[in-house]
Amino acid sequence: MSSRESSGRRYTSTLRAQQAAQTRARVLDAARELFSERGFAATTMPEIARRAGVSTETVQSHGPKIALLKAALDAFSFGGGEDTDARETDRGRTLLAVQSAPEAVRVAAEVLADINAATRGLWLSFSEAARSDAEVAAQFRAYVAGVRAQNAVLVDEWAQRGFLRSDVPREELVDRAALIGSVELYDRAVRLEGMDRDAYVRTVAGLFAAALTAG
């Protein structure tokens, strides 16, 4: 094989990978919009396909409906897939670049504001569907456990840097972090209490500081 043929094949392969990634991004964005607007049960694969500008078969190739919902949550939270270590994402690196407890709680609140704003509709759709569908409920419980595990990683990172209070057990600190950062709290703060982003960030940073950090 000539070097020109090899280079051409590499270019074609790279182009196809880029096109596939762009298509998946359109599908996940359409899924996010529709699940947020209509809920899980009322959203269909053909509707996602029309919104994304692709065929229904293309949407189906990205998995069943519940897989699309979870993939959209992953994509619009830390930006990775289901098995991605959040610490290796851009937002994860931002959380780990902090140098003090006050900076840590402020940055965490800012990251949560962005993630919860992008995923609130998806999360609430997932939660609502879990009320009436046993299979979805099992998937939701597993996803909640995964989010808690991400919080545990952050708590452990903060503990290693001496940011955390020592009078509270580690598991309770993880629980506090998960509850304070939850979409449900964000939804209440923004939708019911009328907080804007800055007010939410200040509130969550204050809760983190009081509930988690030393001094």
Side-chain angles (χ1 to χ4, degrees), residues 135-179:
E135 182 179 350
V136 174
Q139 297 269 7
F140 185 63
R141 287 193 296 271
Y143 202 90
V144 170
V147 172
R148 188 182 187 281
Q150 291 177 349
N151 278 277
V153 169
L154 180 61
V155 164
D156 289 340
E157 290 282 351
W158 285 6
Q160 291 175 14
R161 302 179 190 200
F163 295 168
L164 297 185
R165 53 193 305 168
S166 59
D167 61 331
V168 178
R170 182 255 192 189
E171 291 303 305
E172 185 174 335
L173 290 172
V174 174
D175 288 337
R176 292 181 181 187
L179 289 171

Side-chain angles (χ1 to χ4, degrees), residues 194-215:
M195 289 186 185
D196 61 16
R197 184 183 187 279
D198 289 342
Y200 170 81
V201 168
R202 288 195 303 272
T203 299
V204 168
L207 290 171
F208 275 149
L212 301 178
T213 64

Side-chain angles (χ1 to χ4, degrees), residues 106-117:
R106 176 184 58 78
V107 170
E110 290 173 347
V111 168
L112 283 167
D114 293 337
I115 289 175
N116 287 337

Side-chain angles (χ1 to χ4, degrees), residues 3-44:
S3 60
R4 181 176 296 176
E5 289 174 334
S6 177
S7 176
R9 289 187 179 183
R10 285 198 301 271
Y11 173 79
T12 301
S13 177
T14 299
L15 181 60
R16 285 176 178 169
Q18 291 173 343
Q19 290 172 337
Q22 291 168 355
T23 297
R24 182 168 176 79
R26 291 204 308 274
V27 168
L28 294 182
D29 193 36
R32 177 178 68 97
E33 292 175 354
L34 285 166
F35 286 135
S36 299
E37 293 169 8
R38 303 183 185 181
F40 181 77
T43 297
T44 68

